[in-house]
Structures are given as C-alpha cells and as structure tokens.
Amino acid sequence: MHMKKLSLSTVAALLALAVGGGAAQSRVAAQNKGALQFIAGVLRADGALVPFAEYRHGLWWNPWPEPPQQSGGGDEPQTKSLGGHPEPWFQQCGKSPTTWYVRPRADSVLTLKTSGTVEIGNHSQTNWALVTDYPQKREAEKNAHHENAGLALNVDLQIDGMIEIEPGGEEARSVLAYVKSAFDHSEAAEARRLAAEPGPSHMGAAEWFPQSSERRARVALTATKLYRDRSGIDGAHVYYVEVEKRYEKPRGSRDGSCEGVAFLAGWVLKRKDGVIGMLDDSFGLTDCDGKERGNSVELFGVLRADGRTFLLTVEHGWEDESYIIYELKDFALTRLLVTFGG
C-alpha cells in the first residue's frame, strides 16, 4: 500500500498532541494498559441505583467475600449475592461513587448524582443501593415488582442500550427465519428423546407434545421477545429473542385449560455481511404458567472496553432477578459473571 509521507510540521504537531493532549489522551493510554476501572449498576425506575459488579485489570468480579459452601461441594463457583451484606460493598473508606452515567438514547448521556445509600427490597432479599436524582422517578404499582430503567456506570463510557424490533418487519423476518430453523431442530430432538423414554415425564409433557412433525408444523411459531442492540458493533448486531409454540392438551388432561408450551430463548449475531449465527440458546417445555422457562432477559447493553465487547444484562427468573455479564467474541458468547439480586 502506498503511504503518504508526513511533513516535518505535521510530525511536530502530532508530537505536540502526544505530549500535551490532556486528560482524554492520558485516559485512553491508561485504558490500553489495562488500567480501566469502574463499577456497573442497574438504575431502577424509582431512582435507586444498585451496583452489582466491578471491572478492574481486565476482569469482571464481585469484590466481596465468597459465600459459605453449601452442602454437596462441587467444583462449580457459586453465584455471589447482593443480599445479606452488613454494609454497601461499593463503599471505600466510607465513601461511594457520587456520579453515574446512563444513556437513555444513543446521542445523549444522563449524569446522575447520588445523595446517600439505602437498603431496598428485591424479591426475597434486600440490596444496598444509591439514592440518585433521577428526574423521571416513578414508584412501582402496589403489589408489583420494581421496574428497571437502564444500566449505569460510574465512568463516562459508551454503553449501547437495546431497542425492541417489531416482528412483522423485514429485519425481524430474516432473524426469525434463522431462529425457526434452530427451534425446529430442537423440537425434533425433543420428540426423539420423549419417544426413547416412554412413560410419565415432568409436567406430563409426553401427553401433549406432538411426536408427529406434521402436527408440529401446523402450529405457528410466535416471537414473544425480539430485542437488538441500538447502534451496532462494527456493523454487526446482536439480538435477544424468545419464541414459542402453544399446543392444546388432549381431553382428560389433569389441567386441560392450560396449554403446553415449547419455547426457545437465545442470542443471535448478524454480521456486517449478513451472515446470521446462534450465539447461545436454550429449548424447553413448560405449562402456560412458564415456571420452567428459566431466566428471561429484560434489559441489556453493549459495552466496549479494553478492545473487548461485553453484554451487561438484567435477567428475570420465576421469582428472582440476576445481573449477568457476557463477553462477545466472533460467534461465541462467554458468561463471565453472575450476580444474584434477589
């Protein structure tokens, strides 16, 4: 490739910028050396901000003591919980971060100031949180769980939020066509598994789940969630999707009024060149109450730091809430940290 030579004056100007470029250039240089350090939290609609993880020296971690090992042992690391701490884990020398940044839109940043700490309820436990001056505070309805408004950092880094994609549009059709193929493959595998293991199964799935591919094909696949990162990742996009099929139960079932549900939830990557691939997915069967669905993503953001791409997510189970951090690299999604909220 032909390189254009720089004049002496241009070289001098570049050297001056390198030496005296100010705090912004120093901060970038520090980040490149792995010195980037910050705390991530979730902003609730009531204005409380719950810090849940720290990034330091290129690693995500929960910087508080490990919980005691439960009976049964095992080598799997246990998820750390935000509950049961005598004082806020994010305080240092009695002080907490006083400035936080939330990006409600791609072209704007909301700076929040804190005025103290407070303990707040989160399903089955309490969490330490920061009181903020969030200008759009709204309290949860009576007997309803709190809502989450966005992800926050205590440094001004870009964190790209998500948008909801309408299922009927062209963008959605291409993604859902790929997801349908994965769903059909998983359904067929489940039918083979049930056929190989006759007899009663959990929830009596064998009595309503069609063994016939023709019967399964007659039931439409419905998208119940389709989210996408707002701005893109070097021309690519990451999607979170949930799809399902609802099957009538046969007459005489113990609960014939409640449909059987086959579902799939997963992450999809659409590259700049249009190639689509599944990053991670889970398939299962449940009743209409959905207790067996596992975690469902309610909120996520894309964060670029130290040349890496992270997904920060808020995920809900049947009666709990967790904050999960993934790393995205090529067509791989690696779970780095799980923090239990309550």
Side-chain angles (χ1 to χ4, degrees):
M1 181 182 294
H2 179 69
M3 302 288 290
K4 184 177 179 180
K5 293 184 178 179
L6 298 178
S7 66
L8 289 177
S9 59
T10 302
V11 172
L14 291 173
L15 287 173
L17 283 172
V19 173
Q25 284 77 10
S26 298
R27 183 176 66 178
V28 170
Q31 292 178 16
N32 291 337
K33 293 179 181 179
L36 186 60
Q37 180 177 338
F38 56 88
I39 297 175
V42 59
L43 174 67
R44 295 178 16 160
D46 58 12
L49 195 155
V50 181
F52 62 83
E54 183 177 8
Y55 181 81
R56 184 190 298 180
H57 303 308
L59 298 174
W60 287 98
W61 66 313
N62 298 133
W64 57 84
E66 293 280 357
Q69 290 291 324
Q70 297 177 356
S71 59
D75 297 328
E76 287 293 323
Q78 293 192 34
T79 299
K80 287 189 177 181
S81 174
L82 292 175
H85 300 291
E87 59 185 21
W89 68 266
F90 45 84
Q91 280 189 337
Q92 296 183 355
C93 300
K95 295 183 179 180
S96 305
T98 57
T99 304
W100 293 77
Y101 303 91
V102 181
R103 295 184 182 271
R105 299 188 305 275
D107 58 350
S108 66
V109 57
L110 178 63
T111 303
L112 301 177
K113 296 296 184 180
T114 65
S115 57
T117 59
V118 64
E119 284 190 282
I120 56 173
N122 190 353
H123 290 287
S124 60
Q125 65 182 24
T126 58
N127 300 161
W128 284 103
L130 290 159
V131 179
T132 74
D133 59 354
Y134 181 50
Q136 299 174 5
K137 292 180 183 179
R138 59 183 186 277
E139 298 295 331
E141 296 182 6
K142 188 176 180 180
N143 299 323
H145 187 56
H146 70 268
E147 296 180 29
N148 293 311
L151 292 158
L153 303 175
N154 70 327
V155 295
D156 188 8
L157 289 177
Q158 177 75 36
I159 182 166
D160 188 34
M162 70 183 196
I163 59 174
E164 186 171 3
I165 305 298
E166 291 297 325
E170 179 61 33
E171 178 182 13
R173 282 196 292 269
S174 65
V175 173
L176 293 176
Y178 177 86
V179 173
K180 183 180 184 303
S181 176
F183 182 92
D184 291 344
H185 178 80
S186 295
E187 261 205 329
E190 182 68 7
R192 291 192 297 270
R193 186 189 70 80
L194 290 174
E197 300 177 8
S201 63
H202 184 53
M203 301 182 305
E207 70 174 1
W208 60 261
F209 185 70
Q211 294 292 309
S212 164
S213 59
E214 289 77 12
R215 283 190 59 201
R216 295 197 303 271
R218 289 198 292 267
V219 178
L221 184 69
T222 302
T224 55
K225 283 188 180 181
L226 182 57
Y227 301 146
R228 191 203 74 199
D229 65 276
R230 188 166 45 204
S231 303
I233 309 164
D234 297 331
H237 282 292
V238 63
Y239 297 80
Y240 175 76
V241 60
E242 293 183 7
V243 294
E244 67 178 25
K245 283 185 179 181
R246 290 182 171 261
Y247 294 102
E248 291 185 5
K249 292 184 178 179
R251 292 180 180 179
S253 297
R254 286 173 295 177
D255 188 5
S257 63
C258 184
E259 297 171 307
V261 181
F263 66 89
L264 182 143
W267 294 94
V268 175
L269 181 68
K270 186 175 184 179
R271 293 192 329 200
K272 184 178 180 179
D273 59 7
V275 174
I276 300 176
M278 186 72 75
L279 295 168
D280 183 55
D281 69 281
S282 61
F283 175 87
L285 304 178
T286 186
D287 259 331
C288 56
D289 59 15
K291 287 185 177 180
E292 286 75 22
R293 280 184 180 268
N295 282 359
S296 176
V297 172
E298 298 293 327
L299 185 71
F300 78 85
V302 178
L303 172 66
R304 309 291 293 275
D306 289 335
R308 300 161 68 188
T309 302
F310 303 106
L311 296 181
L312 281 60
T313 72
V314 180
E315 304 186 17
H316 283 272
W318 176 245
E319 290 181 336
D320 56 50
E321 179 175 310
S322 295
Y323 316 110
I324 303 178
I325 299 174
Y326 302 87
E327 182 171 10
L328 174 63
K329 189 175 182 181
D330 299 324
F331 272 114
L333 193 64
T334 304
R335 183 178 294 195
L336 300 179
L337 189 71
V338 180
T339 308
F340 183 70

